[in-house]
């Protein structure tokens, strides 16, 4: 099914640490919003959900923007360009340049996985949306909303595709949680101070 701009189902909001025995302070934080990894079994599931849940949270925030005035359109453009775009671009770069090459040293992607192609398509759409948002007016807001919906749909599909294959690739690789943690450390260092 195609994901539409809407809030996650009740009880399916943000990720909590699956190893934690503490109850979350906010009763709304119950489970991941992923439709693929609904109950993380181990670090192979949980590690991927950390960036993906953040992206899904931002997708939900993106859908909340009311684009019915020039001021709101400018606010969206600023948020999109300075926050969403930067975060997702870094995430994809980190996957392509650090994480996936590390993982595929031991386990190849399944033949039907198109992660790199999906990243290219997502970044092309994100670039188009960034330009459209910067130039948007009340008269073009409907076109911008359509582009937002296209991005939301494509991003959800991409996150689902990765969540279907990456955790099992990790399990098959023989890598340890500590080894993955070292790679994640490299990615975090790339964020800068």
């Amino acid at each position: 099914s195609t994901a539409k701009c809407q809030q996650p189902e009740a009880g399916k909001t943000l990720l909590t640490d699956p190893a934690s025995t503490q109850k979350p302070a906010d009763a709304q934080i119950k489970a991941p919003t992923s439709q693929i990894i609904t109950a993380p079994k181990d670090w192979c599931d949980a590690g991927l959900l950390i960036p993906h849940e953040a992206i899904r949270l931002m997708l939900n925030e993106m859908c909340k923007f009311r684009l019915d005035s020039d001021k709101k359109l400018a606010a969206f453009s600023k948020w999109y360009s300075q926050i969403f775009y930067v975060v997702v671009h870094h995430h994809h770069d980190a996957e392509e340049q650090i994480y996936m090459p590390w993982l595929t040293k031991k386990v190849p992607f399944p033949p039907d996985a198109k992660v790199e192609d999906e990243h290219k398509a997502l970044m092309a759409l994100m670039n188009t949306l960034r330009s459209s948002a910067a130039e948007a007016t009340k008269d073009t807001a409907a076109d911008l909303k359509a582009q937002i919906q296209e991005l939301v749909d494509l991003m959800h599909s991409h996150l689902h595709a990765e969540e279907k294959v990456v955790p099992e690739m990790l399990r098959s690789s023989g890598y340890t949680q500590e080894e993955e943690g070292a790679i994640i450390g490299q990615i975090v260092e790339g964020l800068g101070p």
Side-chain angles (χ1 to χ4, degrees), residues 42-45 98-109 165-184 186:
D42 57 17
W43 64 271
C44 299
D45 285 342
I98 300 171
Y99 194 86
M100 296 306 180
W102 167 79
L103 181 57
T104 57
K105 281 181 186 174
K106 291 193 174 187
V107 180
F109 269 110
V165 299
V166 171
E168 195 51 47
M169 289 174 68
L170 276 170
R171 289 182 193 100
S172 299
S173 72
Y175 282 126
T176 65
Q177 184 174 7
E178 292 73 25
E179 289 170 314
E180 193 219 21
I183 293 300
I184 299 301
Q186 288 179 24

Side-chain angles (χ1 to χ4, degrees), residues 115-130:
V115 173
E116 229 175 273
D117 293 340
E118 290 174 353
H119 283 177
K120 289 176 186 168
L122 281 164
M123 289 313 301
L125 181 55
M126 287 175 59
N127 288 336
T128 299
L129 182 56
R130 185 171 59 169

